[in-house]
Amino acid sequence: MAISDVGLPGEVPWKKMSAEELESQYCPSQWGVRLRAEEALRTYSQIGIEATRRARATRKSLLHVPYGDGEGEKLDIYFPDEAAEALPFFLFFHGGYWQSGSKDESAFMVDPLTAQGVAVVIVAYDIAPKGTLDQMVDQVTRSVAFVQKRYPSNEGIYLCGHSAGAHLAAMMLLANWTKHGVTPNLKGFFLMSGVFDLEPIMYTSQNIALQLTLEDAQRNSPQLKVAQVQPVDPTCRVLVVVGQFDSPEFHRQSWEFYQVLSAQTLCQGEWKASFEQLHDVDHFEIVENLTQKDNVLTQIILKTIFQ
Protein backbone atom coordinates (compact mmCIF):
# COMPACT_ATOMS: atom_id res chain seq x y z
CA MET A 1 0.00 0.00 0.00
CA ALA A 2 1.48 3.32 -1.02
CA ILE A 3 1.44 6.28 1.36
CA SER A 4 -0.91 8.06 -1.03
CA ASP A 5 -3.44 5.26 -0.52
CA VAL A 6 -3.79 5.63 3.23
CA GLY A 7 -5.55 8.11 5.45
CA LEU A 8 -8.43 8.75 3.06
CA PRO A 9 -11.61 10.11 4.69
CA GLY A 10 -13.95 7.32 5.72
CA GLU A 11 -11.49 4.58 4.80
CA VAL A 12 -10.65 2.03 7.46
CA PRO A 13 -8.77 -0.60 5.45
CA TRP A 14 -8.27 -3.12 8.25
CA LYS A 15 -12.02 -3.58 8.76
CA LYS A 16 -12.27 -4.97 5.23
CA MET A 17 -9.58 -7.59 5.81
CA SER A 18 -10.04 -11.26 6.58
CA ALA A 19 -8.89 -12.45 10.00
CA GLU A 20 -5.87 -14.09 8.37
CA GLU A 21 -4.88 -10.96 6.49
CA LEU A 22 -5.26 -8.76 9.56
CA GLU A 23 -3.12 -11.18 11.57
CA SER A 24 -0.44 -11.02 8.89
CA GLN A 25 -0.51 -7.22 8.73
CA TYR A 26 0.23 -7.05 12.45
CA CYS A 27 2.95 -9.71 12.40
CA PRO A 28 6.02 -7.60 11.54
CA SER A 29 8.43 -10.53 11.21
CA GLN A 30 6.52 -11.75 8.15
CA TRP A 31 7.34 -8.63 6.17
CA GLY A 32 11.14 -8.63 6.19
CA VAL A 33 12.92 -9.18 2.87
CA ARG A 34 16.31 -10.39 4.11
CA LEU A 35 15.46 -12.92 6.82
CA ARG A 36 12.69 -15.39 7.51
CA ALA A 37 10.41 -14.58 10.44
CA GLU A 38 12.11 -16.70 13.11
CA GLU A 39 15.58 -15.66 12.01
CA ALA A 40 14.58 -11.99 12.00
CA LEU A 41 13.36 -12.23 15.58
CA ARG A 42 16.46 -14.16 16.67
CA THR A 43 18.80 -11.64 15.01
CA TYR A 44 16.96 -8.72 16.60
CA SER A 45 17.31 -10.29 20.04
CA GLN A 46 20.98 -11.12 19.54
CA ILE A 47 21.85 -7.59 18.41
CA GLY A 48 20.03 -6.11 21.40
CA ILE A 49 21.69 -8.45 23.87
CA GLU A 50 25.15 -7.77 22.46
CA ALA A 51 24.62 -4.00 22.36
CA THR A 52 23.49 -4.06 26.00
CA ARG A 53 26.42 -6.23 27.07
CA ARG A 54 28.83 -3.86 25.35
CA ALA A 55 27.18 -0.74 26.82
CA ARG A 56 27.32 -2.13 30.34
CA ALA A 57 30.96 -3.12 29.92
CA THR A 58 32.21 0.13 28.40
CA ARG A 59 29.97 3.01 29.52
CA LYS A 60 29.51 4.71 32.85
CA SER A 61 26.12 3.61 34.05
CA LEU A 62 23.58 3.28 36.83
CA LEU A 63 21.75 -0.01 36.37
CA HIS A 64 18.37 -1.20 37.68
CA VAL A 65 17.52 2.20 39.19
CA PRO A 66 13.99 2.08 40.69
CA TYR A 67 11.61 4.74 39.43
CA GLY A 68 8.74 3.27 41.46
CA ASP A 69 7.97 0.65 44.06
CA GLY A 70 7.04 -2.17 41.66
CA GLU A 71 9.46 -4.99 40.95
CA GLY A 72 9.43 -4.21 37.24
CA GLU A 73 9.79 -0.45 37.66
CA LYS A 74 13.49 -0.08 36.93
CA LEU A 75 15.61 1.80 34.43
CA ASP A 76 19.22 1.83 33.28
CA ILE A 77 21.06 5.14 32.80
CA TYR A 78 24.16 5.33 30.56
CA PHE A 79 26.33 8.45 30.68
CA PRO A 80 28.79 10.07 28.27
CA ASP A 81 32.45 9.78 29.19
CA GLU A 82 32.75 13.55 29.52
CA ALA A 83 31.21 14.76 32.76
CA ALA A 84 28.77 17.64 32.42
CA GLU A 85 26.42 19.45 34.78
CA ALA A 86 23.57 19.39 32.28
CA LEU A 87 22.96 16.72 29.67
CA PRO A 88 20.26 15.90 27.16
CA PHE A 89 18.48 12.67 28.16
CA PHE A 90 17.23 10.13 25.62
CA LEU A 91 14.67 7.68 27.03
CA PHE A 92 13.97 4.47 25.12
CA PHE A 93 10.90 2.24 25.49
CA HIS A 94 11.33 -1.19 23.93
CA GLY A 95 8.83 -2.98 21.71
CA GLY A 96 7.45 -6.51 21.84
CA TYR A 97 3.69 -5.98 21.51
CA TRP A 98 3.49 -5.00 25.20
CA GLN A 99 4.15 -8.67 26.10
CA SER A 100 7.81 -9.38 25.38
CA GLY A 101 11.14 -7.58 25.38
CA SER A 102 13.24 -6.18 28.18
CA LYS A 103 15.46 -3.24 29.03
CA ASP A 104 18.20 -5.83 29.50
CA GLU A 105 18.38 -6.42 25.76
CA SER A 106 17.44 -2.99 24.40
CA ALA A 107 20.47 -0.70 24.71
CA PHE A 108 20.85 -0.49 20.92
CA MET A 109 21.67 3.22 20.70
CA VAL A 110 23.79 3.68 23.83
CA ASP A 111 27.23 3.70 22.20
CA PRO A 112 26.61 6.20 19.37
CA LEU A 113 24.54 8.59 21.50
CA THR A 114 26.69 8.62 24.65
CA ALA A 115 29.74 9.13 22.42
CA GLN A 116 28.18 12.44 21.35
CA GLY A 117 27.29 13.65 24.85
CA VAL A 118 23.77 12.26 25.34
CA ALA A 119 22.69 10.34 28.44
CA VAL A 120 20.61 7.32 27.47
CA VAL A 121 17.92 5.79 29.68
CA ILE A 122 16.46 2.36 28.91
CA VAL A 123 13.14 1.90 30.70
CA ALA A 124 11.52 -1.32 31.91
CA TYR A 125 7.79 -1.74 32.39
CA ASP A 126 5.55 -4.64 33.38
CA ILE A 127 4.62 -6.44 30.18
CA ALA A 128 1.44 -8.50 29.76
CA PRO A 129 -0.01 -10.57 31.17
CA LYS A 130 1.46 -9.25 34.44
CA GLY A 131 0.87 -5.65 33.45
CA THR A 132 -2.20 -4.14 31.83
CA LEU A 133 -1.85 -1.49 29.16
CA ASP A 134 -3.12 1.17 31.56
CA GLN A 135 -0.43 0.14 34.05
CA MET A 136 2.28 0.28 31.37
CA VAL A 137 1.25 3.80 30.36
CA ASP A 138 1.31 4.87 34.01
CA GLN A 139 4.73 3.31 34.54
CA VAL A 140 6.23 5.00 31.51
CA THR A 141 4.72 8.31 32.63
CA ARG A 142 6.29 7.93 36.07
CA SER A 143 9.66 6.98 34.55
CA VAL A 144 9.72 10.26 32.60
CA ALA A 145 8.74 12.25 35.70
CA PHE A 146 11.45 10.43 37.67
CA VAL A 147 14.19 11.43 35.22
CA GLN A 148 13.04 15.07 35.29
CA LYS A 149 13.03 15.15 39.09
CA ARG A 150 16.42 13.42 39.40
CA TYR A 151 18.07 15.57 36.73
CA PRO A 152 16.19 18.90 36.84
CA SER A 153 18.95 20.79 35.01
CA ASN A 154 18.76 18.53 31.97
CA GLU A 155 19.16 20.06 28.53
CA GLY A 156 16.05 18.38 27.22
CA ILE A 157 14.31 15.02 27.51
CA TYR A 158 13.79 13.09 24.28
CA LEU A 159 11.45 10.10 24.20
CA CYS A 160 11.92 7.26 21.75
CA GLY A 161 9.97 4.06 21.33
CA HIS A 162 9.91 1.18 18.89
CA SER A 163 6.69 -0.61 17.89
CA ALA A 164 4.69 -1.03 21.14
CA GLY A 165 7.25 1.27 22.75
CA ALA A 166 6.42 3.94 20.17
CA HIS A 167 2.81 3.70 21.30
CA LEU A 168 3.86 4.18 24.94
CA ALA A 169 6.06 7.14 24.01
CA ALA A 170 3.20 8.69 22.02
CA MET A 171 0.92 8.35 25.04
CA MET A 172 3.24 10.81 26.78
CA LEU A 173 1.88 13.47 24.43
CA LEU A 174 -1.37 13.07 26.38
CA ALA A 175 0.06 12.85 29.90
CA ASN A 176 -1.30 14.94 32.76
CA TRP A 177 1.93 15.96 34.38
CA THR A 178 0.28 18.03 37.11
CA LYS A 179 -0.55 14.96 39.18
CA HIS A 180 3.11 13.90 39.01
CA GLY A 181 4.28 17.19 40.47
CA VAL A 182 6.63 18.03 37.62
CA THR A 183 6.55 19.12 34.00
CA PRO A 184 9.28 17.28 32.09
CA ASN A 185 11.50 19.32 29.80
CA LEU A 186 10.28 17.40 26.75
CA LYS A 187 12.03 18.50 23.56
CA GLY A 188 11.49 15.64 21.14
CA PHE A 189 9.74 12.36 20.32
CA PHE A 190 11.04 9.66 17.97
CA LEU A 191 8.25 7.20 17.20
CA MET A 192 9.54 4.20 15.26
CA SER A 193 7.12 1.83 13.53
CA GLY A 194 4.41 2.36 16.11
CA VAL A 195 0.77 1.42 16.62
CA PHE A 196 -1.31 4.48 17.47
CA ASP A 197 -4.86 3.17 17.00
CA LEU A 198 -5.21 -0.02 19.04
CA GLU A 199 -8.60 -1.22 17.86
CA PRO A 200 -7.20 -3.52 15.12
CA ILE A 201 -5.01 -5.24 17.73
CA MET A 202 -8.15 -6.50 19.46
CA TYR A 203 -8.82 -8.80 16.52
CA THR A 204 -5.36 -10.37 16.36
CA SER A 205 -3.66 -13.04 18.44
CA GLN A 206 -1.74 -10.30 20.25
CA ASN A 207 -4.86 -9.61 22.28
CA ILE A 208 -4.79 -13.04 23.94
CA ALA A 209 -2.28 -11.69 26.46
CA LEU A 210 -3.43 -8.07 26.39
CA GLN A 211 -7.17 -8.72 26.84
CA LEU A 212 -8.07 -5.30 25.48
CA THR A 213 -11.71 -4.27 25.40
CA LEU A 214 -12.90 -1.63 22.94
CA GLU A 215 -12.94 0.88 25.79
CA ASP A 216 -9.35 -0.04 26.71
CA ALA A 217 -8.23 0.30 23.10
CA GLN A 218 -9.90 3.66 22.58
CA ARG A 219 -8.68 5.08 25.90
CA ASN A 220 -5.12 4.13 25.00
CA SER A 221 -5.10 5.19 21.35
CA PRO A 222 -3.13 8.41 20.86
CA GLN A 223 -4.50 8.56 17.31
CA LEU A 224 -7.94 9.28 18.79
CA LYS A 225 -6.82 11.55 21.63
CA VAL A 226 -3.93 13.74 20.51
CA ALA A 227 -6.14 16.27 18.73
CA GLN A 228 -7.71 17.09 22.11
CA VAL A 229 -4.46 18.25 23.73
CA GLN A 230 -2.00 21.00 23.06
CA PRO A 231 1.79 20.92 23.21
CA VAL A 232 3.30 21.85 26.56
CA ASP A 233 6.26 23.23 24.60
CA PRO A 234 5.60 24.40 21.01
CA THR A 235 9.26 23.79 20.14
CA CYS A 236 8.98 20.07 20.95
CA ARG A 237 9.50 18.00 17.80
CA VAL A 238 7.68 14.78 16.96
CA LEU A 239 9.24 12.52 14.34
CA VAL A 240 7.08 9.63 13.11
CA VAL A 241 9.23 6.99 11.41
CA VAL A 242 8.36 3.83 9.51
CA GLY A 243 10.53 1.32 7.66
CA GLN A 244 10.17 0.77 3.94
CA PHE A 245 9.50 -2.93 4.56
CA ASP A 246 7.03 -2.48 7.40
CA SER A 247 3.58 -3.86 6.56
CA PRO A 248 0.95 -1.64 4.89
CA GLU A 249 -0.95 -1.43 8.17
CA PHE A 250 2.13 -0.17 9.99
CA HIS A 251 2.61 2.37 7.22
CA ARG A 252 -1.00 3.47 7.57
CA GLN A 253 -0.75 3.75 11.36
CA SER A 254 2.34 5.97 11.19
CA TRP A 255 1.12 8.13 8.31
CA GLU A 256 -2.31 8.75 9.83
CA PHE A 257 -0.82 9.63 13.21
CA TYR A 258 1.51 12.09 11.51
CA GLN A 259 -1.46 13.58 9.66
CA VAL A 260 -3.38 14.10 12.91
CA LEU A 261 -0.36 15.82 14.47
CA SER A 262 0.17 17.99 11.39
CA ALA A 263 -3.48 19.00 11.12
CA GLN A 264 -3.55 20.64 14.52
CA THR A 265 -3.74 24.42 14.53
CA LEU A 266 -4.43 25.17 18.16
CA CYS A 267 -4.47 28.77 19.33
CA GLN A 268 -1.56 28.10 21.69
CA GLY A 269 0.60 26.24 19.20
CA GLU A 270 0.78 23.07 17.16
CA TRP A 271 2.93 19.96 17.09
CA LYS A 272 6.17 20.31 15.16
CA ALA A 273 5.67 16.98 13.43
CA SER A 274 7.61 15.34 10.62
CA PHE A 275 7.45 11.99 8.87
CA GLU A 276 10.20 9.72 7.58
CA GLN A 277 10.03 6.48 5.66
CA LEU A 278 13.44 4.91 6.08
CA HIS A 279 14.71 3.31 2.90
CA ASP A 280 15.61 -0.37 2.74
CA VAL A 281 14.87 -1.32 6.36
CA ASP A 282 12.25 -3.54 7.96
CA HIS A 283 10.46 -3.35 11.29
CA PHE A 284 13.44 -4.67 13.24
CA GLU A 285 16.34 -3.16 11.30
CA ILE A 286 14.96 0.31 12.01
CA VAL A 287 16.09 -0.07 15.64
CA GLU A 288 18.94 -2.56 15.10
CA ASN A 289 20.69 0.06 12.97
CA LEU A 290 20.73 2.53 15.86
CA THR A 291 23.86 0.68 17.01
CA GLN A 292 25.64 2.44 14.10
CA LYS A 293 26.84 6.02 14.47
CA ASP A 294 26.54 6.73 10.73
CA ASN A 295 23.00 5.35 10.44
CA VAL A 296 20.49 7.79 8.93
CA LEU A 297 18.15 7.72 11.94
CA THR A 298 21.02 7.98 14.43
CA GLN A 299 22.11 11.14 12.66
CA ILE A 300 18.56 12.53 12.59
CA ILE A 301 18.28 11.94 16.35
CA LEU A 302 21.60 13.68 17.06
CA LYS A 303 20.74 16.58 14.76
CA THR A 304 17.41 17.03 16.52
CA ILE A 305 19.01 16.99 19.96
CA PHE A 306 21.85 19.37 19.11
CA GLN A 307 20.12 21.65 16.60
Side-chain angles (χ1 to χ4, degrees):
M1 185 186 298
I3 291 296
S4 59
D5 294 331
V6 300
L8 301 175
E11 291 285 332
V12 188
W14 69 267
K15 290 190 175 182
K16 302 174 184 177
M17 296 178 184
S18 68
E20 293 77 12
E21 184 179 2
L22 185 63
E23 183 74 19
S24 174
Q25 288 285 329
Y26 284 95
C27 186
S29 61
Q30 293 187 10
W31 294 84
V33 298
R34 293 181 180 86
L35 302 174
R36 293 182 182 272
E38 289 186 4
E39 189 177 356
L41 291 169
R42 185 167 56 251
T43 299
Y44 172 76
S45 178
Q46 289 172 343
I47 292 174
I49 290 170
E50 174 57 25
T52 304
R53 185 202 63 75
R54 186 169 59 250
R56 290 179 174 180
T58 62
R59 298 297 181 189
K60 293 189 294 185
S61 63
L62 295 173
L63 302 178
H64 317 303
V65 179
Y67 64 82
D69 296 330
E71 181 182 350
E73 297 176 353
K74 304 285 196 303
L75 49 80
D76 297 337
I77 311 173
Y78 299 90
F79 297 97
D81 290 335
E82 295 293 326
E85 290 187 10
L87 295 166
F89 281 78
F90 179 97
L91 276 63
F92 181 67
F93 311 110
H94 67 79
Y97 264 134
W98 308 276
Q99 57 199 280
S100 66
S102 163
K103 73 173 177 61
D104 299 320
E105 52 188 48
S106 298
F108 297 93
M109 68 296 297
V110 165
D111 277 2
L113 295 192
T114 55
Q116 297 300 317
V118 181
V120 178
V121 182
I122 312 296
V123 179
Y125 52 92
D126 284 323
I127 57 178
K130 179 180 180 180
T132 67
L133 200 57
D134 288 314
Q135 289 170 332
M136 295 179 220
V137 171
D138 178 64
Q139 288 176 324
V140 166
T141 307
R142 287 188 285 112
S143 76
V144 176
F146 172 85
V147 171
Q148 178 64 41
K149 290 175 181 177
R150 183 162 180 145
Y151 301 100
S153 60
N154 69 76
E155 292 189 344
I157 292 177
Y158 297 82
L159 306 184
C160 178
H162 172 239
S163 199
H167 161 265
L168 294 172
M171 288 296 290
M172 298 306 96
L173 296 167
L174 315 176
N176 176 7
W177 298 109
T178 303
K179 70 178 185 178
H180 295 280
V182 67
T183 300
N185 185 25
L186 295 174
K187 293 297 183 183
F189 288 73
F190 306 99
L191 308 176
M192 303 185 295
S193 296
V195 179
F196 308 105
D197 175 7
L198 301 192
E199 187 177 350
I201 302 299
M202 292 172 51
Y203 303 99
T204 72
S205 62
Q206 305 303 335
N207 203 35
I208 295 172
L210 294 171
Q211 294 291 297
L212 294 176
T213 65
L214 181 59
E215 182 182 9
D216 295 332
Q218 292 176 341
R219 183 173 60 253
N220 288 291
S221 289
Q223 173 78 19
L224 307 180
K225 302 286 188 180
V226 74
Q228 302 167 20
V229 300
Q230 58 193 34
V232 174
D233 183 346
T235 68
C236 181
R237 297 179 177 272
V238 183
L239 174 62
V240 183
V241 188
V242 68
Q244 179 183 351
F245 302 128
D246 264 309
S247 75
E249 267 295 282
F250 272 87
H251 276 266
R252 182 186 68 82
Q253 288 263 0
S254 287
W255 178 250
E256 290 189 358
F257 189 56
Y258 162 69
Q259 285 189 314
V260 169
L261 291 169
S262 300
Q264 284 194 263
T265 54
L266 296 167
C267 59
Q268 295 187 20
E270 59 188 49
W271 301 107
K272 295 190 71 172
S274 56
F275 178 87
E276 289 281 345
Q277 176 182 284
L278 293 186
H279 176 68
D280 200 32
V281 296
D282 65 27
H283 187 83
F284 302 100
E285 292 164 339
I286 199 170
V287 67
E288 291 170 3
N289 291 347
L290 291 179
T291 58
Q292 304 166 15
K293 65 179 181 180
D294 296 327
N295 171 54
V296 171
L297 185 53
T298 305
Q299 290 302 309
I300 290 173
I301 289 170
L302 288 169
K303 182 178 180 182
T304 302
I305 293 174
F306 292 113
Q307 63 188 336

